[in-house]
Amino acid sequence: MEYRIEHDALGEVRVPADRFWGAQTQRSLENFPIGRGREPMPPEIIRAFGLLKLAAARANRALLPEKLTEEKLVRITEVCERIAAGELAEHFPLVVWQTGSGTQTNMNANEVIAHCGNAAAGRALLHPNDDVNLSQSSNDTFPTAMHVAAALQLEETLLPALEGLIGTFLRLEEENADAVKCGRTHLQDAVPLSFGQEISGWRSSLELDRNLIRRSLEPLYALALGGTAVGTGLNAPKGFGALAAKELAALTGLPFTTAANKFHALTSRDELVFAHGALKALAADLMKIANDVRWLASGPRLGLGEIRIPENEPGSSIMPGKVNPTQCEALTMVAVQVMGNDAAVGFAASQGNFELNVFLPVLAYNFLQSGRLLAEAISSFDRRCAAGIRADREKMRKNLGDSLMLVTALSPRIGYENAARTAQKAHREGLTLREACTALGYLSPEEFDELFHPEQMI
């Protein structure tokens, strides 16, 4: 491998000749051999850096034209657009497990933009710190990248996936409005409801989760950019934060603004904790829904068997013909991971000592993993399971007919205690409710038939 010599404040460093990064990125590669190849800085963060460096350059061009010339802006723009498009991913090798401020990833972006821009210009036009990092600090760029990455992920991937599953449940709800089945509480038989009503509970839960996520987006739109090192805005021109946020809004289509208090913006991560709480709420509902689906589909002969789900692949290496609810299992595993990530996000956010939080990369890693896994798992579950759910109406009718809790319909006429005795006698002696009730003398067969209409109990 061929190398070139780069230098920083600590001296000279050998860097692979075919890479655009510089000395500080190389030092991080050498000093943090932790999770290499397995836990890289999330691509969403790299994309966000491409966008924010472009926004910062535009703001600097407007506010500091004597420092950031039009030629420099053109070269920075070209590279940043490539970074945001994911074209230079191989030049961002750093891992999550680095400095807690994300300084090395900020410098990775600065170095790549400068070296790539200089290669295009054919001369040393851009300096990583003096030009690309102009009016900025790692302490305000990394928190900004976190908010931009989180907001874009929620808007572009998670919410659309969630809308898709909501739409599927709405269709199933309408198709099964007249499919009457046994309800269940405490995993025990309960009074009837329609399958459409049961699905409406799933849909409504997801709609509320969607609204919570949307509500959590608002605080994420406030950006730390412009606070520089400790929140005072040292070395940034007046109005830089507001103008850079405006440029980011134009680039992304999201209503980014400059944070009202930069001291808070640098040290506190409560906006991300709040947003991840909405993801945790979604994970909890998805766990419930997926478990309901696999319980209702259990069997195929010895379980509840009230619904049929798609048979996607063989389920056993030893039991021929077995098919398992694997999409439900994948979704519930993702839910567990998100719940675990929520603990990491909360702990990381609590470490804002004095003027800076230095647990930023791990917080970003867990947050973005949650959003990505949820979006992908929801889409897979929707396409490969939910969309193919079919009610087994015959099994629903049989189970409903066997339910002792239909006796609840008799309570207003014969009283709670007599209804309980009817159910107990039917259960002990293997009788129908009609047989038990008439044997106890509470109602005549004709009176029973007049009162007993399970389809009217929903």
Side-chain angles (χ1 to χ4, degrees), residues 165-184 191-205 207 288-289 292 296 306-307 389-393 396 400 455 458:
L165 184 54
I166 289 170
T168 295
F169 283 152
L170 184 59
R171 173 181 61 79
L172 290 171
E173 180 183 340
E174 294 169 349
E175 292 174 359
N176 293 280
D178 60 343
V180 183
K181 64 183 291 293
C182 182
R184 295 176 179 87
V191 296
L193 78 168
S194 76
F195 187 37
Q197 289 172 324
E198 190 165 41
I199 296 170
S200 78
W202 302 344
R203 170 189 52 79
S204 185
S205 294
E207 287 175 338
K288 177 262 190 299
I289 292 167
D292 281 0
L296 290 171
E306 293 185 345
I307 66 173
I389 288 175
R390 299 290 181 269
D392 187 331
R393 296 186 178 223
M396 286 181 177
L400 182 62
E455 70 280 358
I458 66 172

Side-chain angles (χ1 to χ4, degrees), residues 117 157 197 205 264 345:
T157 61
Q197 289 172 324
S205 294
H264 161 84
V345 166

Side-chain angles (χ1 to χ4, degrees), residues 413-435:
R413 178 73 172 269
I414 68 176
Y416 181 93
E417 292 188 8
N418 287 341
R421 293 189 188 100
T422 298
Q424 290 161 359
K425 180 178 178 65
H427 183 53
R428 282 195 309 268
E429 300 178 20
L431 304 175
T432 65
L433 288 174
R434 187 176 189 272
E435 292 167 340

Side-chain angles (χ1 to χ4, degrees), residues 3 31 159 180 193 221 234 279 308 335 359 363-364 388 410 413:
Y3 294 89
N31 289 329
L159 285 172
V180 183
L193 78 168
Y221 295 140
L234 180 67
L279 301 189
R308 296 285 178 262
F359 282 66
L363 198 164
L410 306 179
R413 178 73 172 269

Side-chain angles (χ1 to χ4, degrees), residues 16 35 39 44 52 58 60 78 184 225 262 272 288 350 367 419 437 449:
E39 282 108 25
E44 296 91 344
L52 79 86
R58 288 180 176 177
N60 280 322
E78 291 172 350
R184 295 176 179 87
L225 203 58
K262 299 298 191 299
L272 286 159
K288 177 262 190 299
S350 73
F367 186 102
C437 187
D449 292 341

